[in-house]
C-alpha cells in the first residue's frame, strides 16, 4: 500500500483533490497536518476511498483527517473499509468533516472504525454541515471525544445512521439497528489490534447489502456465515474443519496487516 506521511499544507496535508474523482485504495495517511483536512481534502467530484487507514493526522481549523466539500457541483464521496485512529483538530470533525456549500453533497461511510479521534469543537469523530445526505452504516465508534457524530440540521437534508456500534447513547435520525452504550469491542486497540474480540456484540451484526466488496481491509473475506460484521475487517478466530471424519479446530491470526 502507498503511505502519505508527515506532509504539511494549508488544505489537505497529504492530498488535495479539487474537481476530480479519484478511486483511492490501500493507502495509509500518517501524521499529516493542514488547516483543513489534516490528511486529505476532497472538493468537487465523485470519489471513493477504500481499505485505507488514517492515523494521527491533525488540522488546526477543522476536519482532522479528511475534509469533504461540494464546491460548485454535485459531489458524491464514499468511504468504505476505512480506519480512523487518533486524528484530531482544534475545530470540528476529529476525523471527518463534511461541508456542503451548495447542498449538492452525498456522503456514504460504510464499515469504518473510528477510535481515539478528538475535536475541540463538535463531532469527536464526524461533523457534517449542510450536506444533502449522509449515510453512515456498519461502523464502530469508540473512545472518541464528546459526541461521535454531530451535524447541522437543514431543510431537505437526509441523515441516516444504522447498523453501527457506539460507546455512547446519542440519538440520530433514521436511527436503525444501532448498538449503544457498548463496551470496548476490540482485541487490543492500544497496541493497534482492531479485530473484534470474541463475544463482541458487533460480530455478525452488520447489513450485507451496504458493502459489496469481496474482501476486508486485511484481505480476508468480507462475510462469514453470510453475515457482515460492524467493522472494517472481519473477526473470525476459529473455524471447524472436517477431514476424514476427524474434527480439527484451527486458530487463525487475523491481525490487521500494517
Amino acid at each position: 500500500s502507498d503511505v502519505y506521511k508527515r506532509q504539511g499544507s494549508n488544505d489537505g496535508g497529504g492530498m488535495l483533490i479539487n474537481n476530480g474523482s479519484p478511486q483511492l485504495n490501500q493507502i495509509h495517511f500518517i501524521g499529516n497536518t493542514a488547516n483543513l483536512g489534516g490528511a486529505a481534502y476532497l472538493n468537487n467530484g465523485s470519489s471513493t476511498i477504500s481499505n485505507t487507514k488514517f492515523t494521527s493526522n491533525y488540522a488546526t481549523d477543522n476536519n482532522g483527517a479528511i475534509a469533504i466539500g461540494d464546491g460548485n457541483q454535485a459531489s458524491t464521496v464514499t468511504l468504505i473499509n476505512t480506519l480512523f485512529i487518533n486524528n484530531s483538530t482544534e475545530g470540528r470533525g476529529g476525523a471527518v468533516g463534511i461541508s456542503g456549500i451548495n447542498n449538492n453533497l452525498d456522503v456514504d461511510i460504510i464499515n469504518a472504525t473510528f477510535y481515539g479521534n478528538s475535536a475541540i469543537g463538535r463531532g469527536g469523530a464526524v461533523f457534517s454541515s449542510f450536506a444533502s445526505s449522509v449515510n453512515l452504516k456498519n461502523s464502530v465508534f469508540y473512545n472518541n471525544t464528546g459526541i461521535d457524530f454531530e451535524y447541522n440540521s437543514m431543510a431537505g437534508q437526509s441523515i441516516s445512521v444504522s447498523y453501527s456500534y457506539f460507546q455512547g447513547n446519542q440519538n440520530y435520525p433514521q436511527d436503525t439497528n444501532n448498538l449503544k452504550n457498548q463496551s470496548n469491542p476490540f482485541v487490543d486497540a492500544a497496541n493497534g489490534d482492531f479485530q473484534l474480540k470474541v463475544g463482541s456484540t458487533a460480530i455478525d451484526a452488520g447489513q450485507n447489502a451496504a458493502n459489496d466488496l469481496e474482501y476486508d481491509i486485511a484481505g480476508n473475506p468480507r462475510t462469514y456465515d453470510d453475515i457482515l460484521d460492524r467493522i472494517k475487517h472481519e473477526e473470525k478466530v476459529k473455524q471447524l474443519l472436517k477431514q476424514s471424519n476427524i474434527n480439527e479446530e484451527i486458530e487463525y491470526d487475523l491481525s490487521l496487516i500494517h
Side-chain angles (χ1 to χ4, degrees), residues 111 137-138 163 202-209 227-231:
N111 283 99
K137 187 170 290 186
N138 289 1
Y163 294 92
I203 294 175
D204 291 344
Q207 184 187 55
N208 290 2
I227 304 175
L228 209 64
D229 291 348
R230 300 189 185 199
I231 198 169

Side-chain angles (χ1 to χ4, degrees), residues 4-191:
Y4 291 75
K5 188 173 184 179
R6 286 191 286 275
Q7 305 293 318
S9 177
N10 288 333
D11 296 331
M15 178 179 294
L16 172 61
I17 304 295
N18 204 359
N19 299 314
S21 299
Q23 308 299 301
L24 307 178
N25 185 50
Q26 294 185 332
I27 296 175
H28 194 178
F29 293 89
I30 311 172
N32 300 283
T33 62
N35 294 337
L36 294 172
Y41 192 114
L42 307 176
N43 186 50
N44 283 348
S46 298
S47 305
T48 298
I49 299 178
S50 58
N51 300 314
T52 291
K53 295 177 281 185
F54 297 84
T55 306
S56 300
N57 301 285
Y58 169 75
T60 55
D61 293 343
N62 294 298
N63 322 323
I66 304 178
I68 301 172
D70 68 353
N72 58 6
Q73 69 183 49
S75 300
T76 301
V77 174
T78 299
L79 308 177
I80 186 167
N81 288 6
T82 48
L83 176 62
F84 296 88
I85 306 300
N86 296 332
N87 302 286
S88 61
T89 180
E90 299 298 315
R92 301 174 298 187
V96 178
I98 303 164
S99 181
I101 297 173
N102 293 308
N103 303 337
N104 284 323
L105 178 59
D106 299 304
V107 178
D108 291 326
I109 301 175
I110 301 167
N111 283 99
T113 295
F114 295 89
Y115 181 90
N117 302 286
S118 62
I120 301 299
R122 300 173 66 192
V126 180
F127 180 78
S128 176
S129 179
F130 306 113
S132 50
S133 73
V134 178
N135 174 38
L136 196 157
K137 187 170 290 186
N138 289 1
S139 296
V140 174
F141 294 79
Y142 203 83
N143 202 36
N144 304 293
T145 63
I147 297 174
D148 293 303
F149 173 39
E150 292 189 79
Y151 57 92
N152 284 336
S153 298
M154 72 173 198
Q157 176 180 239
S158 173
I159 299 290
S160 175
V161 181
S162 60
Y163 294 92
S164 292
Y165 185 104
F166 294 92
Q167 180 179 8
N169 192 34
Q170 179 70 17
N171 292 321
Y172 299 103
Q174 300 185 50
D175 193 337
T176 307
N177 293 312
N178 294 308
L179 297 171
K180 301 178 183 180
N181 290 325
Q182 299 295 308
S183 60
N184 187 351
F186 304 115
V187 171
D188 189 3
N191 290 303

